[in-house]
Amino acid sequence: MQAGEIVAALQRQAAASSAYFQATSALFLSADGVSPEFFRDFITRLRQDYDFTGVVAIGWARHTTAAELPELTSRMREAGYENFAVNPAPAQSKQPMYIITIVEPNSLANRRVLGFDIHSDARRAAAIDRALRTRSMAATDPVKLKVDENADHNTGIVVLLPVAQNDEGPVNGFIYGAIRVEEFIRAAVKPSLLETGRIEIFDTTPDGQERIFAAGDSERVERPLEQRFSLFDQQWSVRFYPAGEHWLYPLTLVVLVGGVSFSMLLLAYILLVQRRNEDLVALVNAQAEREAERAAFVRELNHRVKNSLSNVTSIIALTRRNATDINSFADNLMERVRALAASHSLLDGAQWGPTDLKALIETQLGSHGHARGRIVSDGPNVLISPNDALSIGLALHELLTNATRYGALSADQGEVHLHWSVGDEKISVSWEERGGPPVVEPVKRGFGLNLIERALAHELGTPIRIDFLSSGLMCTFDIPLRKPKSFQLRRKDGAA
């Protein structure tokens, strides 16, 4: 029971830290250049809402070639880092270099990290190579943190997140977070859990298991309780040694002294203890089931957080491509995130099960109150899948935004007619604009039309048709009628 609670607490702390690193990576995807001052302001604002105890440094390690080193050194010294130098000195081989150029908090110990090539250390390089291969977050085996080289601190790990414009393009660098393991664990786990016995935590490395944390000094039992789990992309294990209980000696003394009559009482006592033990076994089994269920809820939460972060990261990257200035980028991004949040709220109310299409449409139309009365929607109540609901919600937002800026809703007399009907195996949806300015098919598709024609078509598995008629834009598509399924928690292998 204690081991399960410790694992759940550590996984919650790791999920929160992962979201922190993902948000920082989105900053470097959405901006052409990130200055140390801008990065400091971003981290400060982020820490107003989140506190990640144990993360002692977060920064940017830029991919650098040997030919770029003189120019990088000159630029860093001009920025005020007079003693900036790459360390260790570059080798003659053509190994890639990832040089730390930005770090927060801006403490004296952290500033000494500037210029460090994180690919020069074997364990850090192994994590970098794994992150480059999988294009996802990776963590090192236990290392001595650079900020703690001259201090007596316990083991640390470094989390690395690659930053690239797309899955096939080159990696520009890494968001890295330096974590002191003991502070991270003590911040995640309640102190009361660490006082019920001896707890040891191990990290599995190519050289075997390395102990990275220990607490408590009670006597060990012969066979401890052990649970293995995944944290970031590392395999850890918890061993829990319950406190010893010395009840056998006085019981033996009673048997020797009491004689035959007391033995009868002892027999009755043993029967009672046996019954109590059976009750305890049933209680432990019930607790184990609850722990398994809670672990399943944590896995489901982690899966949905990763999906949501992936959606937001994609929206940030695509919005940036079509932005002309920072204000338009921020405004468009906030509108799209609100549209995604509105769909999420509706799905939460439906327990992430089948969702009413009519309620989804009314939710998205309600966000454009200025057009109320000029949007006519007509169709029956019909249930659609959660994934379809998220994609359709974003598509409706883009159609409404396009109509408001360029289409029928940009004119005083313009109207939008939204109609849907249910067939044998599909729901047919039509969006028709009337009374707006003359329509001309654009030479280049913007973010909204690309989202509708590609992402929505991919999710629904059916083609999307957009016609630029003289009377106004028309969009038609079909939603498959999928067979409803009961909700199931995600297993450890990732399946539902």
Side-chain angles (χ1 to χ4, degrees), residues 93-134:
S93 62
K94 296 183 179 180
Q95 289 290 331
M97 290 183 289
Y98 294 94
I99 311 298
I100 297 176
T101 58
I102 301 177
V103 65
E104 284 295 328
N106 190 26
S107 63
L108 178 61
N110 281 345
R111 285 198 296 272
R112 287 197 292 263
V113 176
L114 293 173
F116 176 60
D117 175 14
I118 60 175
H119 199 266
S120 61
D121 171 76
R123 288 197 167 182
R124 290 174 175 84
I128 288 174
D129 295 341
R130 193 165 63 254
L132 291 173
R133 185 172 62 254
T134 62

mmCIF file of all heavy atoms in Angstrom, residues 93-134:
data_model
loop_
_atom_site.group_PDB
_atom_site.id
_atom_site.type_symbol
_atom_site.label_atom_id
_atom_site.label_comp_id
_atom_site.label_asym_id
_atom_site.label_seq_id
_atom_site.Cartn_x
_atom_site.Cartn_y
_atom_site.Cartn_z
ATOM 1 N N SER A 93 36.891 15.462 -32.986
ATOM 2 C CA SER A 93 35.889 14.688 -33.717
ATOM 3 C C SER A 93 34.696 15.575 -34.049
ATOM 4 O O SER A 93 34.514 16.647 -33.491
ATOM 5 C CB SER A 93 35.431 13.492 -32.880
ATOM 6 O OG SER A 93 34.830 13.948 -31.689
ATOM 7 N N LYS A 94 33.862 15.120 -34.969
ATOM 8 C CA LYS A 94 32.717 15.897 -35.430
ATOM 9 C C LYS A 94 31.453 15.536 -34.666
ATOM 10 O O LYS A 94 30.380 15.406 -35.231
ATOM 11 C CB LYS A 94 32.512 15.685 -36.933
ATOM 12 C CG LYS A 94 33.664 16.206 -37.777
ATOM 13 C CD LYS A 94 33.379 16.040 -39.259
ATOM 14 C CE LYS A 94 34.529 16.594 -40.094
ATOM 15 N NZ LYS A 94 34.278 16.439 -41.553
ATOM 16 N N GLN A 95 31.589 15.337 -33.353
ATOM 17 C CA GLN A 95 30.413 15.046 -32.537
ATOM 18 C C GLN A 95 29.536 16.306 -32.434
ATOM 19 O O GLN A 95 30.055 17.422 -32.387
ATOM 20 C CB GLN A 95 30.840 14.615 -31.126
ATOM 21 C CG GLN A 95 31.485 13.250 -31.068
ATOM 22 C CD GLN A 95 30.496 12.139 -31.337
ATOM 23 O OE1 GLN A 95 29.311 12.269 -31.064
ATOM 24 N NE2 GLN A 95 30.977 11.048 -31.891
ATOM 25 N N PRO A 96 28.193 16.149 -32.384
ATOM 26 C CA PRO A 96 27.329 17.328 -32.235
ATOM 27 C C PRO A 96 27.554 17.984 -30.879
ATOM 28 O O PRO A 96 27.904 17.322 -29.898
ATOM 29 C CB PRO A 96 25.916 16.746 -32.353
ATOM 30 C CG PRO A 96 26.061 15.307 -31.982
ATOM 31 C CD PRO A 96 27.426 14.898 -32.463
ATOM 32 N N MET A 97 27.366 19.291 -30.822
ATOM 33 C CA MET A 97 27.506 20.037 -29.571
ATOM 34 C C MET A 97 26.174 20.716 -29.250
ATOM 35 O O MET A 97 25.525 21.262 -30.145
ATOM 36 C CB MET A 97 28.614 21.091 -29.686
ATOM 37 C CG MET A 97 30.016 20.501 -29.749
ATOM 38 S SD MET A 97 31.284 21.795 -29.805
ATOM 39 C CE MET A 97 31.021 22.436 -31.454
ATOM 40 N N TYR A 98 25.794 20.680 -27.978
ATOM 41 C CA TYR A 98 24.603 21.366 -27.501
ATOM 42 C C TYR A 98 25.039 22.229 -26.321
ATOM 43 O O TYR A 98 25.246 21.726 -25.214
ATOM 44 C CB TYR A 98 23.509 20.372 -27.115
ATOM 45 C CG TYR A 98 22.992 19.605 -28.306
ATOM 46 C CD1 TYR A 98 23.521 18.364 -28.643
ATOM 47 C CD2 TYR A 98 22.005 20.139 -29.123
ATOM 48 C CE1 TYR A 98 23.075 17.667 -29.759
ATOM 49 C CE2 TYR A 98 21.550 19.441 -30.230
ATOM 50 C CZ TYR A 98 22.088 18.217 -30.540
ATOM 51 O OH TYR A 98 21.633 17.530 -31.640
ATOM 52 N N ILE A 99 25.212 23.542 -26.585
ATOM 53 C CA ILE A 99 25.823 24.465 -25.641
ATOM 54 C C ILE A 99 24.720 25.200 -24.878
ATOM 55 O O ILE A 99 23.797 25.761 -25.459
ATOM 56 C CB ILE A 99 26.716 25.499 -26.368
ATOM 57 C CG1 ILE A 99 27.672 24.783 -27.345
ATOM 58 C CG2 ILE A 99 27.472 26.343 -25.369
ATOM 59 C CD1 ILE A 99 28.630 23.839 -26.689
ATOM 60 N N ILE A 100 24.830 25.240 -23.550
ATOM 61 C CA ILE A 100 23.868 25.961 -22.724
ATOM 62 C C ILE A 100 24.123 27.457 -22.870
ATOM 63 O O ILE A 100 25.217 27.939 -22.557
ATOM 64 C CB ILE A 100 23.981 25.537 -21.248
ATOM 65 C CG1 ILE A 100 23.634 24.045 -21.097
ATOM 66 C CG2 ILE A 100 23.063 26.384 -20.373
ATOM 67 C CD1 ILE A 100 23.811 23.523 -19.701
ATOM 68 N N THR A 101 23.109 28.189 -23.345
ATOM 69 C CA THR A 101 23.231 29.640 -23.538
ATOM 70 C C THR A 101 22.229 30.435 -22.695
ATOM 71 O O THR A 101 22.386 31.637 -22.566
ATOM 72 C CB THR A 101 23.032 30.003 -25.020
ATOM 73 O OG1 THR A 101 21.745 29.533 -25.454
ATOM 74 C CG2 THR A 101 24.116 29.354 -25.877
ATOM 75 N N ILE A 102 21.214 29.783 -22.169
ATOM 76 C CA ILE A 102 20.222 30.454 -21.312
ATOM 77 C C ILE A 102 19.927 29.534 -20.136
ATOM 78 O O ILE A 102 19.763 28.317 -20.320
ATOM 79 C CB ILE A 102 18.908 30.748 -22.077
ATOM 80 C CG1 ILE A 102 19.174 31.634 -23.295
ATOM 81 C CG2 ILE A 102 17.893 31.418 -21.165
ATOM 82 C CD1 ILE A 102 17.926 31.905 -24.135
ATOM 83 N N VAL A 103 19.839 30.109 -18.931
ATOM 84 C CA VAL A 103 19.518 29.300 -17.751
ATOM 85 C C VAL A 103 18.777 30.169 -16.741
ATOM 86 O O VAL A 103 19.045 31.358 -16.604
ATOM 87 C CB VAL A 103 20.801 28.695 -17.121
ATOM 88 C CG1 VAL A 103 21.707 29.782 -16.587
ATOM 89 C CG2 VAL A 103 20.456 27.695 -16.036
ATOM 90 N N GLU A 104 17.810 29.581 -16.078
ATOM 91 C CA GLU A 104 17.055 30.217 -14.998
ATOM 92 C C GLU A 104 16.898 29.202 -13.864
ATOM 93 O O GLU A 104 16.823 28.000 -14.125
ATOM 94 C CB GLU A 104 15.672 30.675 -15.490
ATOM 95 C CG GLU A 104 15.682 31.926 -16.333
ATOM 96 C CD GLU A 104 16.129 33.149 -15.580
ATOM 97 O OE1 GLU A 104 15.870 33.230 -14.351
ATOM 98 O OE2 GLU A 104 16.770 34.014 -16.192
ATOM 99 N N PRO A 105 16.836 29.640 -12.602
ATOM 100 C CA PRO A 105 16.987 31.009 -12.108
ATOM 101 C C PRO A 105 18.399 31.550 -12.369
ATOM 102 O O PRO A 105 19.353 30.776 -12.474
ATOM 103 C CB PRO A 105 16.716 30.879 -10.598
ATOM 104 C CG PRO A 105 16.026 29.576 -10.421
ATOM 105 C CD PRO A 105 16.534 28.692 -11.516
ATOM 106 N N ASN A 106 18.519 32.868 -12.419
ATOM 107 C CA ASN A 106 19.775 33.505 -12.791
ATOM 108 C C ASN A 106 20.673 33.662 -11.565
ATOM 109 O O ASN A 106 21.111 34.760 -11.220
ATOM 110 C CB ASN A 106 19.485 34.863 -13.440
ATOM 111 C CG ASN A 106 20.726 35.471 -14.062
ATOM 112 O OD1 ASN A 106 21.642 34.751 -14.445
ATOM 113 N ND2 ASN A 106 20.749 36.786 -14.147
ATOM 114 N N SER A 107 20.972 32.536 -10.901
ATOM 115 C CA SER A 107 21.815 32.552 -9.712
ATOM 116 C C SER A 107 23.275 32.402 -10.117
ATOM 117 O O SER A 107 23.602 32.036 -11.253
ATOM 118 C CB SER A 107 21.423 31.417 -8.769
ATOM 119 O OG SER A 107 21.647 30.166 -9.392
ATOM 120 N N LEU A 108 24.187 32.671 -9.160
ATOM 121 C CA LEU A 108 25.610 32.559 -9.449
ATOM 122 C C LEU A 108 25.977 31.125 -9.820
ATOM 123 O O LEU A 108 26.738 30.890 -10.762
ATOM 124 C CB LEU A 108 26.422 33.016 -8.228
ATOM 125 C CG LEU A 108 27.952 32.916 -8.372
ATOM 126 C CD1 LEU A 108 28.421 33.808 -9.518
ATOM 127 C CD2 LEU A 108 28.627 33.316 -7.066
ATOM 128 N N ALA A 109 25.418 30.144 -9.093
ATOM 129 C CA ALA A 109 25.726 28.743 -9.389
ATOM 130 C C ALA A 109 25.227 28.356 -10.776
ATOM 131 O O ALA A 109 25.922 27.664 -11.531
ATOM 132 C CB ALA A 109 25.100 27.834 -8.332
ATOM 133 N N ASN A 110 24.030 28.818 -11.150
ATOM 134 C CA ASN A 110 23.491 28.487 -12.466
ATOM 135 C C ASN A 110 24.268 29.168 -13.585
ATOM 136 O O ASN A 110 24.435 28.604 -14.674
ATOM 137 C CB ASN A 110 22.013 28.864 -12.542
ATOM 138 C CG ASN A 110 21.127 27.832 -11.868
ATOM 139 O OD1 ASN A 110 21.562 26.721 -11.594
ATOM 140 N ND2 ASN A 110 19.895 28.197 -11.582
ATOM 141 N N ARG A 111 24.737 30.405 -13.354
ATOM 142 C CA ARG A 111 25.481 31.102 -14.412
ATOM 143 C C ARG A 111 26.774 30.374 -14.764
ATOM 144 O O ARG A 111 27.266 30.490 -15.889
ATOM 145 C CB ARG A 111 25.780 32.544 -13.991
ATOM 146 C CG ARG A 111 24.559 33.456 -14.076
ATOM 147 C CD ARG A 111 24.960 34.920 -14.092
ATOM 148 N NE ARG A 111 25.607 35.324 -12.864
ATOM 149 C CZ ARG A 111 24.961 35.766 -11.785
ATOM 150 N NH1 ARG A 111 23.637 35.850 -11.804
ATOM 151 N NH2 ARG A 111 25.618 36.118 -10.692
ATOM 152 N N ARG A 112 27.328 29.622 -13.798
ATOM 153 C CA ARG A 112 28.543 28.860 -14.096
ATOM 154 C C ARG A 112 28.273 27.721 -15.074
ATOM 155 O O ARG A 112 29.202 27.151 -15.647
ATOM 156 C CB ARG A 112 29.147 28.308 -12.801
ATOM 157 C CG ARG A 112 29.821 29.367 -11.943
ATOM 158 C CD ARG A 112 30.730 28.736 -10.910
ATOM 159 N NE ARG A 112 29.990 28.013 -9.908
ATOM 160 C CZ ARG A 112 29.661 28.512 -8.719
ATOM 161 N NH1 ARG A 112 30.006 29.753 -8.411
ATOM 162 N NH2 ARG A 112 29.004 27.785 -7.841
ATOM 163 N N VAL A 113 27.000 27.382 -15.276
ATOM 164 C CA VAL A 113 26.642 26.313 -16.209
ATOM 165 C C VAL A 113 26.700 26.798 -17.655
ATOM 166 O O VAL A 113 26.833 25.996 -18.587
ATOM 167 C CB VAL A 113 25.229 25.787 -15.868
ATOM 168 C CG1 VAL A 113 24.759 24.744 -16.863
ATOM 169 C CG2 VAL A 113 25.219 25.200 -14.470
ATOM 170 N N LEU A 114 26.576 28.113 -17.888
ATOM 171 C CA LEU A 114 26.589 28.651 -19.250
ATOM 172 C C LEU A 114 27.867 28.246 -19.972
ATOM 173 O O LEU A 114 28.975 28.357 -19.435
ATOM 174 C CB LEU A 114 26.473 30.175 -19.206
ATOM 175 C CG LEU A 114 25.139 30.736 -18.710
ATOM 176 C CD1 LEU A 114 25.223 32.251 -18.561
ATOM 177 C CD2 LEU A 114 24.011 30.360 -19.651
ATOM 178 N N GLY A 115 27.692 27.782 -21.212
ATOM 179 C CA GLY A 115 28.831 27.343 -22.011
ATOM 180 C C GLY A 115 29.092 25.854 -21.943
ATOM 181 O O GLY A 115 29.908 25.322 -22.716
ATOM 182 N N PHE A 116 28.410 25.137 -21.033
ATOM 183 C CA PHE A 116 28.643 23.697 -20.904
ATOM 184 C C PHE A 116 28.034 22.949 -22.090
ATOM 185 O O PHE A 116 26.891 23.183 -22.466
ATOM 186 C CB PHE A 116 28.033 23.183 -19.601
ATOM 187 C CG PHE A 116 28.143 21.691 -19.413
ATOM 188 C CD1 PHE A 116 29.377 21.062 -19.382
ATOM 189 C CD2 PHE A 116 27.005 20.915 -19.286
ATOM 190 C CE1 PHE A 116 29.470 19.691 -19.217
ATOM 191 C CE2 PHE A 116 27.080 19.546 -19.115
ATOM 192 C CZ PHE A 116 28.328 18.936 -19.085
ATOM 193 N N ASP A 117 28.803 22.051 -22.694
ATOM 194 C CA ASP A 117 28.330 21.201 -23.790
ATOM 195 C C ASP A 117 27.728 19.947 -23.172
ATOM 196 O O ASP A 117 28.456 19.066 -22.699
ATOM 197 C CB ASP A 117 29.492 20.853 -24.724
ATOM 198 C CG ASP A 117 29.091 19.869 -25.817
ATOM 199 O OD1 ASP A 117 27.865 19.663 -26.004
ATOM 200 O OD2 ASP A 117 29.978 19.317 -26.484
ATOM 201 N N ILE A 118 26.387 19.853 -23.166
ATOM 202 C CA ILE A 118 25.745 18.733 -22.473
ATOM 203 C C ILE A 118 25.947 17.407 -23.196
ATOM 204 O O ILE A 118 25.686 16.348 -22.632
ATOM 205 C CB ILE A 118 24.232 18.996 -22.277
ATOM 206 C CG1 ILE A 118 23.522 19.190 -23.613
ATOM 207 C CG2 ILE A 118 24.013 20.194 -21.389
ATOM 208 C CD1 ILE A 118 22.024 19.339 -23.468
ATOM 209 N N HIS A 119 26.433 17.443 -24.442
ATOM 210 C CA HIS A 119 26.693 16.191 -25.158
ATOM 211 C C HIS A 119 28.071 15.619 -24.819
ATOM 212 O O HIS A 119 28.429 14.540 -25.260
ATOM 213 C CB HIS A 119 26.578 16.419 -26.671
ATOM 214 C CG HIS A 119 26.381 15.155 -27.458
ATOM 215 N ND1 HIS A 119 27.417 14.451 -28.015
ATOM 216 C CD2 HIS A 119 25.254 14.456 -27.755
ATOM 217 C CE1 HIS A 119 26.946 13.387 -28.636
ATOM 218 N NE2 HIS A 119 25.634 13.361 -28.488
ATOM 219 N N SER A 120 28.850 16.358 -24.001
ATOM 220 C CA SER A 120 30.212 15.909 -23.702
ATOM 221 C C SER A 120 30.246 14.850 -22.609
ATOM 222 O O SER A 120 31.256 14.171 -22.438
ATOM 223 C CB SER A 120 31.063 17.106 -23.270
ATOM 224 O OG SER A 120 30.529 17.712 -22.095
ATOM 225 N N ASP A 121 29.166 14.714 -21.846
ATOM 226 C CA ASP A 121 29.104 13.727 -20.772
ATOM 227 C C ASP A 121 28.390 12.469 -21.273
ATOM 228 O O ASP A 121 27.376 12.560 -21.971
ATOM 229 C CB ASP A 121 28.349 14.326 -19.581
ATOM 230 C CG ASP A 121 28.061 13.306 -18.506
ATOM 231 O OD1 ASP A 121 28.989 12.961 -17.757
ATOM 232 O OD2 ASP A 121 26.907 12.843 -18.433
ATOM 233 N N ALA A 122 28.886 11.304 -20.907
ATOM 234 C CA ALA A 122 28.382 10.041 -21.476
ATOM 235 C C ALA A 122 26.907 9.828 -21.171
ATOM 236 O O ALA A 122 26.118 9.491 -22.062
ATOM 237 C CB ALA A 122 29.211 8.865 -20.950
ATOM 238 N N ARG A 123 26.487 10.011 -19.930
ATOM 239 C CA ARG A 123 25.088 9.742 -19.580
ATOM 240 C C ARG A 123 24.160 10.788 -20.173
ATOM 241 O O ARG A 123 23.047 10.484 -20.582
ATOM 242 C CB ARG A 123 24.931 9.657 -18.061
ATOM 243 C CG ARG A 123 25.549 8.382 -17.484
ATOM 244 C CD ARG A 123 25.086 8.069 -16.093
ATOM 245 N NE ARG A 123 25.472 6.705 -15.725
ATOM 246 C CZ ARG A 123 25.174 6.120 -14.583
ATOM 247 N NH1 ARG A 123 24.476 6.776 -13.672
ATOM 248 N NH2 ARG A 123 25.555 4.879 -14.346
ATOM 249 N N ARG A 124 24.586 12.037 -20.206
ATOM 250 C CA ARG A 124 23.769 13.056 -20.850
ATOM 251 C C ARG A 124 23.685 12.801 -22.354
ATOM 252 O O ARG A 124 22.633 12.960 -22.973
ATOM 253 C CB ARG A 124 24.346 14.445 -20.574
ATOM 254 C CG ARG A 124 24.196 14.902 -19.109
ATOM 255 C CD ARG A 124 24.912 16.225 -18.891
ATOM 256 N NE ARG A 124 24.706 16.779 -17.560
ATOM 257 C CZ ARG A 124 25.414 16.439 -16.483
ATOM 258 N NH1 ARG A 124 26.390 15.523 -16.584
ATOM 259 N NH2 ARG A 124 25.165 16.997 -15.310
ATOM 260 N N ALA A 125 24.809 12.401 -22.955
ATOM 261 C CA ALA A 125 24.821 12.122 -24.394
ATOM 262 C C ALA A 125 23.893 10.955 -24.731
ATOM 263 O O ALA A 125 23.208 10.964 -25.759
ATOM 264 C CB ALA A 125 26.250 11.817 -24.858
ATOM 265 N N ALA A 126 23.834 9.939 -23.856
ATOM 266 C CA ALA A 126 22.951 8.798 -24.102
ATOM 267 C C ALA A 126 21.487 9.244 -24.106
ATOM 268 O O ALA A 126 20.690 8.812 -24.949
ATOM 269 C CB ALA A 126 23.179 7.718 -23.041
ATOM 270 N N ALA A 127 21.129 10.130 -23.174
ATOM 271 C CA ALA A 127 19.754 10.637 -23.143
ATOM 272 C C ALA A 127 19.464 11.508 -24.365
ATOM 273 O O ALA A 127 18.372 11.451 -24.943
ATOM 274 C CB ALA A 127 19.520 11.439 -21.857
ATOM 275 N N ILE A 128 20.436 12.328 -24.792
ATOM 276 C CA ILE A 128 20.261 13.163 -25.986
ATOM 277 C C ILE A 128 20.028 12.286 -27.210
ATOM 278 O O ILE A 128 19.114 12.534 -28.007
ATOM 279 C CB ILE A 128 21.485 14.073 -26.188
ATOM 280 C CG1 ILE A 128 21.502 15.171 -25.135
ATOM 281 C CG2 ILE A 128 21.485 14.682 -27.585
ATOM 282 C CD1 ILE A 128 22.732 16.034 -25.167
ATOM 283 N N ASP A 129 20.852 11.269 -27.379
ATOM 284 C CA ASP A 129 20.710 10.394 -28.548
ATOM 285 C C ASP A 129 19.358 9.693 -28.547
ATOM 286 O O ASP A 129 18.733 9.514 -29.593
ATOM 287 C CB ASP A 129 21.849 9.353 -28.565
ATOM 288 C CG ASP A 129 23.212 10.000 -28.753
ATOM 289 O OD1 ASP A 129 23.247 11.169 -29.231
ATOM 290 O OD2 ASP A 129 24.226 9.371 -28.425
ATOM 291 N N ARG A 130 18.874 9.309 -27.360
ATOM 292 C CA ARG A 130 17.564 8.659 -27.271
ATOM 293 C C ARG A 130 16.447 9.646 -27.614
ATOM 294 O O ARG A 130 15.484 9.308 -28.310
ATOM 295 C CB ARG A 130 17.382 8.097 -25.861
ATOM 296 C CG ARG A 130 16.213 7.141 -25.707
ATOM 297 C CD ARG A 130 16.286 6.351 -24.418
ATOM 298 N NE ARG A 130 16.208 7.167 -23.237
ATOM 299 C CZ ARG A 130 17.219 7.455 -22.428
ATOM 300 N NH1 ARG A 130 18.433 6.975 -22.687
ATOM 301 N NH2 ARG A 130 17.059 8.213 -21.357
ATOM 302 N N ALA A 131 16.580 10.886 -27.146
ATOM 303 C CA ALA A 131 15.569 11.910 -27.450
ATOM 304 C C ALA A 131 15.554 12.248 -28.938
ATOM 305 O O ALA A 131 14.499 12.463 -29.527
ATOM 306 C CB ALA A 131 15.845 13.167 -26.631
ATOM 307 N N LEU A 132 16.742 12.292 -29.567
ATOM 308 C CA LEU A 132 16.808 12.561 -31.008
ATOM 309 C C LEU A 132 16.176 11.425 -31.805
ATOM 310 O O LEU A 132 15.525 11.652 -32.830
ATOM 311 C CB LEU A 132 18.271 12.743 -31.434
ATOM 312 C CG LEU A 132 18.982 14.011 -30.941
ATOM 313 C CD1 LEU A 132 20.453 13.972 -31.302
ATOM 314 C CD2 LEU A 132 18.335 15.258 -31.529
ATOM 315 N N ARG A 133 16.352 10.215 -31.324
ATOM 316 C CA ARG A 133 15.819 9.054 -32.044
ATOM 317 C C ARG A 133 14.300 8.974 -31.929
ATOM 318 O O ARG A 133 13.612 8.674 -32.903
ATOM 319 C CB ARG A 133 16.456 7.777 -31.488
ATOM 320 C CG ARG A 133 16.070 6.508 -32.254
ATOM 321 C CD ARG A 133 16.876 5.315 -31.778
ATOM 322 N NE ARG A 133 16.661 4.999 -30.383
ATOM 323 C CZ ARG A 133 17.532 5.234 -29.411
ATOM 324 N NH1 ARG A 133 18.680 5.825 -29.675
ATOM 325 N NH2 ARG A 133 17.254 4.913 -28.154
ATOM 326 N N THR A 134 13.769 9.285 -30.746
ATOM 327 C CA THR A 134 12.324 9.157 -30.524
ATOM 328 C C THR A 134 11.566 10.468 -30.715
ATOM 329 O O THR A 134 10.346 10.471 -30.751
ATOM 330 C CB THR A 134 12.066 8.652 -29.096
ATOM 331 O OG1 THR A 134 12.584 9.607 -28.159
ATOM 332 C CG2 THR A 134 12.735 7.308 -28.872
#
